[in-house]
Amino acid sequence: MTSRPHLLLVEDEPSIRAPLAAFLHKNGYRVSEAKDAAEARTLLPAHAIDLVILDIMMPGEDGLSLARFIRANGDLPIIMLTAMTEDTDKIVGLEMGADDYLAKPFNPRELLARIRAILRRSAQGGRSGAEASPGTKYLFEGFAFDIESRQLTGPDGEAIPLTTGEYDLLKVLVTRPGRVLSRDQLLDLTRGREAHAFDRAVDNTVSRLRKKIEDDPKTPRLIQTVHGAGYTFACTPERV
């Protein structure tokens, strides 16, 4: 199954947000929609976002403030949308860390071309994102998980081999302790794709990982199932 880039569209005006999301989806992108900065802040850590399309003028926290937050936490590409046309406004947006700037009204095809260009440049340097480098080492229940070396060490000091899928899943869980993550979110965060009917990839990986870190995999304490919602990592790792 091919992975489609995942965009976050932050726009308070439904008459702009809905048709633009539909257009981008039709052209091969997954799109999450946020009506304001608060909703965007919730969606960013819950998905593997590849690029943010961000309106500057929004009620509450504005787009410039949200762009500053995104840039402070990584190098996730940002395209700013605004009705403002003054050069000074454009400069401020770019200084806040935006990769590009498009004034309203705009041709959706021009936005599409800019998205493709930015994602091509981003791909050349590897995947970026608000949580691309969550930390170095996490300690939990006697285990030591080193993200950079991709090594998990058990309470007995012995290395525990992890498959790529198990490593990706454990990385997502330990960096988001206590958060309930759906299967769709876990697939997006670990594999960059959407779940499909009868997709058991997440459940199978959880089962294998439980056998490696749980005292009793049939009664798990660390990776807990939240029925009807997904999974949660039920302890708080120490980041060192």
Side-chain angles (χ1 to χ4, degrees):
M1 301 177 189
T2 58
S3 172
R4 298 188 297 157
H6 194 160
L7 311 179
L8 174 60
L9 174 58
V10 190
E11 165 64 61
D12 65 298
E13 179 53 59
S15 64
I16 297 176
R17 187 176 67 246
L20 184 55
F23 171 80
L24 294 170
H25 188 271
K26 181 180 178 181
N27 280 274
Y29 295 98
R30 287 175 292 154
V31 183
S32 290
E33 301 177 44
K35 66 180 182 299
D36 54 27
E39 189 172 6
R41 283 176 179 262
T42 299
L43 290 171
L44 280 165
H47 297 279
I49 301 297
D50 294 284
L51 181 145
V52 179
I53 303 164
L54 176 58
D55 185 28
I56 289 183
M57 299 299 292
M58 296 186 295
E61 182 183 5
D62 64 23
L64 293 175
S65 175
L66 181 58
R68 189 183 301 112
F69 166 78
I70 293 171
R71 189 55 68 241
N73 288 278
D75 57 351
L76 187 62
I78 302 170
I79 296 178
M80 284 190 163
L81 306 178
T82 180
M84 297 184 293
T85 57
E86 294 294 330
D87 287 342
T88 53
D89 298 322
K90 177 179 179 179
I91 291 169
V92 169
L94 295 174
E95 287 181 345
M96 289 296 177
D99 295 84
D100 208 342
Y101 180 104
L102 206 55
K104 299 176 182 177
F106 57 87
N107 187 323
R109 293 195 174 277
E110 182 180 359
L111 174 61
L112 183 63
R114 297 190 185 200
I115 290 170
R116 288 171 173 166
I118 290 173
L119 289 179
R120 279 196 301 269
R121 294 198 301 268
S122 179
Q124 291 173 0
R127 187 187 184 95
S128 60
E131 302 198 32
S133 301
T136 302
K137 184 180 289 186
Y138 290 82
L139 308 179
F140 62 93
E141 299 295 318
F143 291 89
F145 180 47
D146 192 318
I147 286 178
E148 289 188 2
S149 67
R150 304 174 69 92
Q151 186 173 39
L152 176 66
T153 304
D156 58 1
E158 295 293 323
I160 300 172
L162 296 173
T163 66
T164 298
E166 292 162 0
Y167 164 81
D168 289 340
L169 178 63
L170 185 58
K171 177 181 174 182
V172 167
L173 292 173
V174 301
T175 56
R176 297 165 175 80
R179 182 176 298 166
V180 178
L181 297 168
S182 69
R183 289 171 177 81
D184 282 355
Q185 289 174 325
L186 288 170
L187 268 176
D188 186 23
L189 289 163
T190 59
R191 302 193 179 191
R193 68 174 174 85
E194 296 166 294
H196 296 268
F198 310 113
D199 196 330
R200 300 289 296 176
V202 169
D203 298 322
N204 291 337
T205 307
V206 167
S207 179
R208 293 197 308 269
L209 188 55
R210 278 173 171 167
K211 292 177 181 178
K212 297 183 177 183
I213 67 173
E214 298 281 3
D215 292 332
D216 181 2
K218 294 183 178 179
T219 311
R221 294 187 305 107
L222 299 176
I223 306 176
Q224 294 187 0
T225 301
V226 181
H227 294 290
Y231 296 99
T232 186
F233 197 64
C235 78
T236 303
E238 177 187 0
R239 178 176 170 178
V240 298

